[in-house]
Amino acid sequence: MKKEILINTVGNEIRIAITEEGRLAELFVETPEKERMVGDIYFGKVAKVMPGIQAAFVDIGLPQDAFLHFSDVSDVQDEYNAMLDDDDEDDEEGDEESDAPRQPKPKQERKPREERRKQVNLQKGQEIIVQVTKEPVGKKGVRVTSQVSLPGRFLVLLPFDGKVGISKKISSFKERRRLRRLVRSILPQGFGVIVRTNAENQDEKLFLNDLESLLASWRDIEKSAKEEQPPALIYKDMATTSSVIRDLFSDQVERVVTDDKRLFKEIKGYVKVFSPEMADRVEYYGKREPIFDSFGIEKEIQTLLVRKVWLKHGGYIIVEQTEAMVVIDVNSGRYAASKEQEENSLRTNLEAAREICRQIRLRDLGGIIVIDFIDMLDDRNKKKVYDEVKKEFKRDRSKHTILPLTDFCLMQITRQRQRQSIIHSFTEPCPVCGGTGTIQSKTTILSHIERWLRRYRAEGNELRIHLRVHPGMAEYITIGFFSRLWQLRINSMKWVTIEADKSLPIDEFRFVSVKQDKDITSEFLN
């Protein structure tokens, strides 16, 4: 598969596009306001321990305390903290330490849920080193782990774990054994590593360079932990651009093209050190036409900002994203290639399945995803759609789980979420509707005003009162000879005056006491 990495820089914004066969597959956006946090390491302090939810909250200096689940607590963290006192993500999985193929473990009796809960020794006020694994989403703070890891080009250093793991994507048993023996020969005692996919068939010198760089970073982290007072940031992971080159620039990528000279020199220098044979694949784009226009990326980015995405043969999908989950609806639209409804449904669903998988990666949708496919009666057709989704998801680097279609042709997917979806990099919540997409009607708002006046008439003793509303609402209330304003005056037996205030949202109103010259709206609300 032909893959390319294209990098566009405009002002303080950097956009990184990954294409597959010429089509946009993934997009990363880096701005000063939305810095990457995943991989950052903090020296924090436990603020609260909650055994009921098997978690603790850690103060790391952010507005919201970080969430630390007991399953993410390292077994050797307490020993390391004691050592500090006395001295006063990885994205790829590894296998077990043995060189021999895995043997099935004997089946053990399943313990009750209460007994299976992990017991940890965390106390309020305890100092702890944690690493961010998931950026804040909505009102939720960051998620952290005390199982710290430092990713490099070929290795992931595990300071708190002595195991040696090999990426599952390296399939050759001979190469796995070579890599394991090589790593063990250079690895200091007490440290563990996971060998990444990029390490396949690489020379020992490159491993040494990578390991020395990671160990130096860890020594700096240890030094900061001993000198700093919690909460403190003690390690900042690479920026988005550097991490993409480190993690994704592999043999499968034909070239990396950037329109920024400074970035071109940085990437070229990095690749010459860690993968010199790939340095020629880094190119500088110096044409007048914008790089994303030249490669046809700009038009594809626009599809990220719309709910409706059209399919090639007339069908379309609707993507609705909420804080709790993502719902995707499949519609046949104008597609009717056959008179057979079941056949039409299958063809539309298969086409939609491919586009949905692409949109999920492109928009970086995570959490719970529910897809409402067009109804099909034949179970064999449902399996074809399920198999198509599984095939397309093999390209996805995020961990995911896909369930077969239900009787109602609903598919449930869970996908690892490390950050907010890409749409948050291009948009902000609407100041009027707050991101819901709807606002109260003028009739509903007028009803709220009338109810407020009824309560005020029963309890208030002033005859004159001033009403401030949005200009659109002010026009609605005052239009006509016998306006709604006169109806308010007559019904409430109060002399209501009105003022148009552009600073107010259209669905809000404020009542001001003329006599006291103060806002009294809250005194007579529900």
Side-chain angles (χ1 to χ4, degrees):
M1 178 185 297
K2 179 183 177 182
K3 295 180 69 174
E4 294 178 324
I5 299 178
L6 311 174
I7 306 174
N8 168 232
T9 303
V10 178
N12 292 326
E13 181 185 72
I14 300 176
R15 297 183 299 173
I16 306 115
I18 299 176
T19 66
E20 295 175 355
E21 300 297 343
R23 294 196 71 193
L24 183 61
E26 294 184 66
L27 182 68
F28 303 89
V29 180
E30 182 179 358
T31 61
E33 297 80 18
K34 297 180 180 179
E35 289 186 353
R36 167 189 164 95
M37 295 181 65
V38 173
D40 292 353
I41 299 177
Y42 288 83
F43 189 31
K45 182 179 291 187
V46 177
K48 188 185 299 183
V49 180
M50 303 184 70
I53 61 172
Q54 288 279 285
F57 290 89
V58 183
D59 178 13
I60 59 174
L62 299 179
Q64 290 176 293
D65 290 340
F67 179 83
L68 174 63
H69 195 269
F70 286 176
S71 62
D72 294 322
V73 177
S74 171
D75 294 332
V76 299
Q77 181 69 52
D78 291 337
E79 299 176 14
Y80 186 78
N81 287 338
M83 182 192 75
L84 289 178
D85 293 338
D86 293 339
D87 199 42
D88 236 355
E89 148 144 131
D90 179 38
D91 57 340
E92 296 178 282
E93 297 181 49
D95 61 4
E96 295 179 0
E97 196 167 339
S98 172
D99 283 328
R102 292 186 181 182
Q103 298 296 326
K105 296 180 180 180
K107 190 173 182 180
Q108 298 178 352
E109 184 178 350
R110 189 174 179 85
K111 295 181 180 180
R113 185 173 182 177
E114 292 76 11
E115 294 182 23
R116 287 186 281 118
R117 288 188 171 190
K118 183 174 181 178
Q119 300 298 318
V120 300
N121 185 26
L122 287 178
Q123 304 295 329
K124 182 178 180 180
Q126 177 180 337
E127 297 177 353
I128 186 172
I129 295 176
V130 292
Q131 185 173 34
V132 177
T133 59
K134 184 185 294 185
E135 294 181 352
V137 178
K139 297 181 180 180
K140 299 178 181 178
V142 300
R143 180 162 181 166
V144 296
T145 176
S146 70
Q147 300 169 2
V148 175
S149 62
L150 295 179
R153 174 70 174 160
F154 306 112
L155 304 172
V156 178
L157 184 67
L158 308 175
F160 296 146
D161 194 336
K163 75 174 183 181
V164 173
I166 309 290
S167 169
K168 292 181 178 179
K169 295 181 181 179
I170 300 177
S171 56
S172 169
F173 176 75
K174 183 178 180 180
E175 177 64 10
R176 294 171 70 88
R177 183 171 58 183
R178 182 189 77 88
L179 291 171
R180 195 185 304 277
R181 289 176 177 173
L182 174 58
V183 168
R184 281 178 174 162
S185 67
I186 62 176
L187 188 65
Q189 188 175 0
F191 287 88
V193 295
I194 293 177
V195 181
R196 309 189 71 173
T197 308
N198 291 336
E200 190 170 12
N201 300 320
Q202 296 295 335
D203 187 74
E204 180 180 358
K205 182 180 178 181
L206 298 176
F207 283 88
L208 281 171
N209 292 339
D210 202 20
L211 181 60
E212 287 176 2
S213 175
L214 294 173
L215 289 173
S217 297
W218 178 245
R219 284 192 291 269
D220 290 340
I221 293 171
E222 287 184 309
K223 182 179 179 181
S224 298
K226 294 170 185 176
E227 296 175 351
E228 297 284 350
Q229 292 296 320
L233 174 66
I234 57 178
Y235 173 77
K236 181 69 180 173
D237 196 17
M238 288 183 172
T240 303
T241 307
S242 301
S243 66
V244 166
I245 298 301
R246 178 192 66 194
D247 299 338
L248 303 183
F249 189 19
S250 63
D251 291 335
Q252 295 179 336
V253 177
E254 292 190 357
R255 59 176 175 166
V256 176
V257 187
T258 177
D259 59 2
D260 185 270
K261 287 185 177 180
R262 180 188 59 82
L263 206 54
F264 167 73
K265 291 178 181 178
E266 288 182 6
I267 296 173
K268 191 90 168 180
Y270 176 83
V271 175
K272 281 183 177 179
V273 173
F274 290 100
S275 300
E277 75 283 357
M278 300 173 67
D280 292 340
R281 302 187 192 183
V282 182
E283 301 177 10
Y284 171 68
Y285 180 88
K287 299 179 182 178
R288 288 188 176 183
E289 184 182 14
I291 182 173
F292 276 15
D293 289 351
S294 177
F295 285 86
I297 301 299
E298 205 67 59
K299 290 183 180 179
E300 295 198 57
I301 291 178
Q302 299 307 312
T303 65
L304 297 174
L305 308 178
V306 296
R307 295 169 59 247
K308 179 184 287 188
V309 180
W310 286 97
L311 304 176
K312 185 177 179 180
H313 293 96
Y316 62 91
I317 62 175
I318 300 290
V319 182
E320 293 282 4
Q321 187 173 358
T322 69
E323 186 173 340
M325 66 171 63
V326 178
V327 180
I328 302 176
D329 186 33
V330 180
N331 295 279
S332 58
R334 302 185 300 268
Y335 183 70
S338 170
K339 294 182 179 180
E340 292 293 333
Q341 181 178 352
E342 182 78 6
E343 187 176 346
N344 283 339
S345 299
L346 174 61
R347 290 182 178 178
T348 303
N349 283 338
L350 289 173
E351 185 179 4
R354 291 186 284 270
E355 182 61 30
I356 287 171
C357 294
R358 176 174 173 265
Q359 289 292 329
I360 288 174
R361 291 179 61 202
L362 193 51
R363 300 179 187 224
D364 201 9
L365 302 176
I368 301 173
I369 303 170
V370 177
I371 306 172
D372 182 10
F373 285 103
I374 300 172
D375 288 343
M376 298 179 295
L377 300 178
D378 194 331
D379 289 339
R380 291 173 298 181
N381 291 337
K382 293 179 182 179
K383 188 176 186 306
K384 288 179 181 178
V385 174
Y386 172 64
D387 292 340
E388 186 70 19
V389 172
K390 286 180 63 178
K391 184 188 76 173
E392 292 295 319
F393 257 98
K394 287 181 179 179
R395 305 179 184 180
D396 192 8
R397 294 178 293 109
S398 297
K399 296 179 181 178
H400 55 266
T401 302
I402 306 171
L403 298 182
L405 276 71
T406 67
D407 292 341
F408 299 106
C409 272
L410 297 177
M411 176 178 287
Q412 301 171 69
I413 299 173
T414 60
R415 184 173 182 267
Q416 181 186 28
R417 177 164 54 191
Q418 293 184 338
R419 61 190 66 86
Q420 291 187 333
S421 67
I422 194 67
I423 196 171
H424 289 91
S425 299
F426 296 107
T427 62
E428 293 181 355
C430 172
V432 177
C433 69
T436 64
T438 60
I439 58 173
Q440 296 183 55
S441 66
K442 291 183 176 66
T443 305
T444 302
I445 300 168
L446 183 62
S447 297
H448 289 320
I449 293 173
E450 290 177 341
R451 283 192 288 270
W452 190 97
L453 285 169
R454 287 184 182 181
R455 287 188 289 271
Y456 181 76
R457 180 184 177 185
E459 302 178 28
N461 54 13
E462 294 182 34
L463 181 62
R464 294 168 58 85
I465 193 166
H466 190 62
L467 172 63
R468 291 169 44 224
V469 293
H470 185 273
M473 194 65 197
E475 181 183 5
Y476 177 75
I477 294 175
T478 57
I479 193 170
F481 177 76
F482 187 65
S483 65
R484 295 176 178 86
L485 177 60
W486 276 105
Q487 295 178 36
L488 291 175
R489 291 169 175 171
I490 293 171
N491 294 336
S492 65
M493 301 298 289
K494 303 292 181 183
W495 186 255
V496 182
T497 56
I498 196 165
E499 175 191 353
D501 188 344
K502 293 181 179 180
S503 66
L504 284 177
I506 194 169
D507 56 354
E508 284 190 17
F509 60 89
R510 316 301 295 175
F511 276 103
V512 179
S513 167
V514 175
K515 185 176 180 179
Q516 303 175 62
D517 192 25
K518 74 171 188 177
D519 192 321
I520 58 172
T521 312
S522 60
E523 297 178 22
F524 300 95
L525 288 175
N526 291 338

mmCIF file of all heavy atoms in Angstrom, residues 262-281:
data_model
loop_
_atom_site.group_PDB
_atom_site.id
_atom_site.type_symbol
_atom_site.label_atom_id
_atom_site.label_comp_id
_atom_site.label_asym_id
_atom_site.label_seq_id
_atom_site.Cartn_x
_atom_site.Cartn_y
_atom_site.Cartn_z
ATOM 1 N N ARG A 262 12.522 24.822 8.098
ATOM 2 C CA ARG A 262 13.056 24.476 9.418
ATOM 3 C C ARG A 262 12.649 23.061 9.802
ATOM 4 O O ARG A 262 13.471 22.265 10.286
ATOM 5 C CB ARG A 262 12.537 25.468 10.464
ATOM 6 C CG ARG A 262 13.027 25.195 11.891
ATOM 7 C CD ARG A 262 12.329 26.088 12.884
ATOM 8 N NE ARG A 262 10.902 25.894 12.852
ATOM 9 C CZ ARG A 262 10.280 24.893 13.492
ATOM 10 N NH1 ARG A 262 10.982 23.999 14.169
ATOM 11 N NH2 ARG A 262 8.963 24.786 13.433
ATOM 12 N N LEU A 263 11.395 22.729 9.564
ATOM 13 C CA LEU A 263 10.904 21.394 9.888
ATOM 14 C C LEU A 263 11.573 20.345 9.010
ATOM 15 O O LEU A 263 11.892 19.236 9.476
ATOM 16 C CB LEU A 263 9.383 21.360 9.699
ATOM 17 C CG LEU A 263 8.587 20.337 10.511
ATOM 18 C CD1 LEU A 263 8.896 20.463 11.993
ATOM 19 C CD2 LEU A 263 7.100 20.534 10.255
ATOM 20 N N PHE A 264 11.807 20.692 7.745
ATOM 21 C CA PHE A 264 12.484 19.770 6.832
ATOM 22 C C PHE A 264 13.872 19.416 7.361
ATOM 23 O O PHE A 264 14.278 18.245 7.370
ATOM 24 C CB PHE A 264 12.577 20.401 5.443
ATOM 25 C CG PHE A 264 13.512 19.699 4.511
ATOM 26 C CD1 PHE A 264 13.186 18.475 3.948
ATOM 27 C CD2 PHE A 264 14.742 20.253 4.201
ATOM 28 C CE1 PHE A 264 14.061 17.821 3.088
ATOM 29 C CE2 PHE A 264 15.624 19.619 3.348
ATOM 30 C CZ PHE A 264 15.283 18.399 2.790
ATOM 31 N N LYS A 265 14.622 20.417 7.834
ATOM 32 C CA LYS A 265 15.970 20.171 8.348
ATOM 33 C C LYS A 265 15.923 19.326 9.623
ATOM 34 O O LYS A 265 16.756 18.435 9.819
ATOM 35 C CB LYS A 265 16.666 21.501 8.618
ATOM 36 C CG LYS A 265 16.996 22.284 7.354
ATOM 37 C CD LYS A 265 17.652 23.615 7.688
ATOM 38 C CE LYS A 265 17.958 24.415 6.422
ATOM 39 N NZ LYS A 265 18.546 25.739 6.726
ATOM 40 N N GLU A 266 14.948 19.597 10.502
ATOM 41 C CA GLU A 266 14.829 18.828 11.737
ATOM 42 C C GLU A 266 14.523 17.363 11.460
ATOM 43 O O GLU A 266 15.143 16.461 12.033
ATOM 44 C CB GLU A 266 13.730 19.429 12.617
ATOM 45 C CG GLU A 266 14.092 20.759 13.256
ATOM 46 C CD GLU A 266 12.983 21.266 14.147
ATOM 47 O OE1 GLU A 266 11.997 20.523 14.356
ATOM 48 O OE2 GLU A 266 13.085 22.413 14.638
ATOM 49 N N ILE A 267 13.562 17.122 10.576
ATOM 50 C CA ILE A 267 13.178 15.741 10.255
ATOM 51 C C ILE A 267 14.325 15.019 9.571
ATOM 52 O O ILE A 267 14.635 13.860 9.882
ATOM 53 C CB ILE A 267 11.914 15.725 9.364
ATOM 54 C CG1 ILE A 267 10.721 16.309 10.127
ATOM 55 C CG2 ILE A 267 11.598 14.302 8.901
ATOM 56 C CD1 ILE A 267 9.482 16.489 9.275
ATOM 57 N N LYS A 268 14.983 15.702 8.640
ATOM 58 C CA LYS A 268 16.107 15.104 7.913
ATOM 59 C C LYS A 268 17.224 14.721 8.881
ATOM 60 O O LYS A 268 17.783 13.613 8.812
ATOM 61 C CB LYS A 268 16.638 16.113 6.892
ATOM 62 C CG LYS A 268 17.628 15.535 5.896
ATOM 63 C CD LYS A 268 16.919 14.997 4.670
ATOM 64 C CE LYS A 268 17.894 14.680 3.562
ATOM 65 N NZ LYS A 268 17.230 14.147 2.362
ATOM 66 N N GLY A 269 17.519 15.619 9.843
ATOM 67 C CA GLY A 269 18.568 15.326 10.814
ATOM 68 C C GLY A 269 18.207 14.164 11.714
ATOM 69 O O GLY A 269 19.060 13.312 12.012
ATOM 70 N N TYR A 270 16.957 14.079 12.140
ATOM 71 C CA TYR A 270 16.521 12.988 13.003
ATOM 72 C C TYR A 270 16.618 11.647 12.274
ATOM 73 O O TYR A 270 17.128 10.661 12.812
ATOM 74 C CB TYR A 270 15.091 13.245 13.471
ATOM 75 C CG TYR A 270 14.493 12.128 14.302
ATOM 76 C CD1 TYR A 270 14.739 12.036 15.666
ATOM 77 C CD2 TYR A 270 13.680 11.164 13.711
ATOM 78 C CE1 TYR A 270 14.182 11.012 16.423
ATOM 79 C CE2 TYR A 270 13.134 10.137 14.459
ATOM 80 C CZ TYR A 270 13.390 10.063 15.816
ATOM 81 O OH TYR A 270 12.851 9.045 16.552
ATOM 82 N N VAL A 271 16.136 11.621 11.031
ATOM 83 C CA VAL A 271 16.136 10.373 10.269
ATOM 84 C C VAL A 271 17.557 9.922 9.958
ATOM 85 O O VAL A 271 17.858 8.718 9.952
ATOM 86 C CB VAL A 271 15.305 10.539 8.979
ATOM 87 C CG1 VAL A 271 15.408 9.286 8.108
ATOM 88 C CG2 VAL A 271 13.850 10.830 9.310
ATOM 89 N N LYS A 272 18.472 10.868 9.707
ATOM 90 C CA LYS A 272 19.866 10.499 9.423
ATOM 91 C C LYS A 272 20.515 9.788 10.608
ATOM 92 O O LYS A 272 21.378 8.922 10.425
ATOM 93 C CB LYS A 272 20.674 11.747 9.069
ATOM 94 C CG LYS A 272 20.470 12.233 7.636
ATOM 95 C CD LYS A 272 21.363 13.428 7.339
ATOM 96 C CE LYS A 272 21.210 13.864 5.882
ATOM 97 N NZ LYS A 272 22.056 15.048 5.571
ATOM 98 N N VAL A 273 20.094 10.127 11.821
ATOM 99 C CA VAL A 273 20.672 9.501 13.016
ATOM 100 C C VAL A 273 20.101 8.116 13.244
ATOM 101 O O VAL A 273 20.833 7.153 13.487
ATOM 102 C CB VAL A 273 20.427 10.394 14.258
ATOM 103 C CG1 VAL A 273 20.869 9.668 15.528
ATOM 104 C CG2 VAL A 273 21.173 11.714 14.113
ATOM 105 N N PHE A 274 18.763 7.985 13.156
ATOM 106 C CA PHE A 274 18.128 6.735 13.560
ATOM 107 C C PHE A 274 17.790 5.807 12.387
ATOM 108 O O PHE A 274 17.709 4.594 12.573
ATOM 109 C CB PHE A 274 16.853 7.035 14.352
ATOM 110 C CG PHE A 274 17.127 7.624 15.711
ATOM 111 C CD1 PHE A 274 17.024 8.983 15.927
ATOM 112 C CD2 PHE A 274 17.524 6.816 16.765
ATOM 113 C CE1 PHE A 274 17.283 9.535 17.175
ATOM 114 C CE2 PHE A 274 17.790 7.348 18.016
ATOM 115 C CZ PHE A 274 17.683 8.717 18.219
ATOM 116 N N SER A 275 17.570 6.355 11.192
ATOM 117 C CA SER A 275 17.290 5.520 10.014
ATOM 118 C C SER A 275 17.933 6.147 8.786
ATOM 119 O O SER A 275 17.246 6.656 7.894
ATOM 120 C CB SER A 275 15.774 5.368 9.809
ATOM 121 O OG SER A 275 15.162 4.758 10.912
ATOM 122 N N PRO A 276 19.262 6.138 8.730
ATOM 123 C CA PRO A 276 19.961 6.844 7.648
ATOM 124 C C PRO A 276 19.580 6.363 6.256
ATOM 125 O O PRO A 276 19.641 7.136 5.301
ATOM 126 C CB PRO A 276 21.443 6.559 7.947
ATOM 127 C CG PRO A 276 21.447 5.381 8.872
ATOM 128 C CD PRO A 276 20.189 5.461 9.655
ATOM 129 N N GLU A 277 19.182 5.106 6.131
ATOM 130 C CA GLU A 277 18.832 4.586 4.812
ATOM 131 C C GLU A 277 17.534 5.189 4.281
ATOM 132 O O GLU A 277 17.213 5.060 3.088
ATOM 133 C CB GLU A 277 18.717 3.062 4.870
ATOM 134 C CG GLU A 277 17.455 2.513 5.537
ATOM 135 C CD GLU A 277 17.511 2.592 7.063
ATOM 136 O OE1 GLU A 277 18.546 3.019 7.605
ATOM 137 O OE2 GLU A 277 16.503 2.210 7.702
ATOM 138 N N MET A 278 16.755 5.873 5.160
ATOM 139 C CA MET A 278 15.481 6.448 4.748
ATOM 140 C C MET A 278 15.549 7.963 4.597
ATOM 141 O O MET A 278 14.535 8.621 4.345
ATOM 142 C CB MET A 278 14.384 6.080 5.767
ATOM 143 C CG MET A 278 14.179 4.585 5.918
ATOM 144 S SD MET A 278 13.028 4.154 7.246
ATOM 145 C CE MET A 278 11.497 4.802 6.598
ATOM 146 N N ALA A 279 16.734 8.546 4.741
ATOM 147 C CA ALA A 279 16.868 10.009 4.707
ATOM 148 C C ALA A 279 16.455 10.588 3.353
ATOM 149 O O ALA A 279 15.938 11.709 3.280
ATOM 150 C CB ALA A 279 18.307 10.403 5.033
ATOM 151 N N ASP A 280 16.672 9.844 2.273
ATOM 152 C CA ASP A 280 16.325 10.343 0.941
ATOM 153 C C ASP A 280 14.818 10.454 0.736
ATOM 154 O O ASP A 280 14.372 11.082 -0.244
ATOM 155 C CB ASP A 280 16.923 9.425 -0.133
ATOM 156 C CG ASP A 280 18.441 9.498 -0.165
ATOM 157 O OD1 ASP A 280 18.985 10.505 0.343
ATOM 158 O OD2 ASP A 280 19.076 8.554 -0.680
ATOM 159 N N ARG A 281 14.041 9.856 1.610
ATOM 160 C CA ARG A 281 12.580 9.917 1.465
ATOM 161 C C ARG A 281 11.985 11.206 2.029
ATOM 162 O O ARG A 281 10.788 11.446 1.867
ATOM 163 C CB ARG A 281 11.925 8.722 2.163
ATOM 164 C CG ARG A 281 12.401 7.374 1.661
ATOM 165 C CD ARG A 281 11.586 6.254 2.262
ATOM 166 N NE ARG A 281 12.178 4.949 2.027
ATOM 167 C CZ ARG A 281 11.635 3.798 2.407
ATOM 168 N NH1 ARG A 281 10.473 3.803 3.047
ATOM 169 N NH2 ARG A 281 12.241 2.655 2.174
#
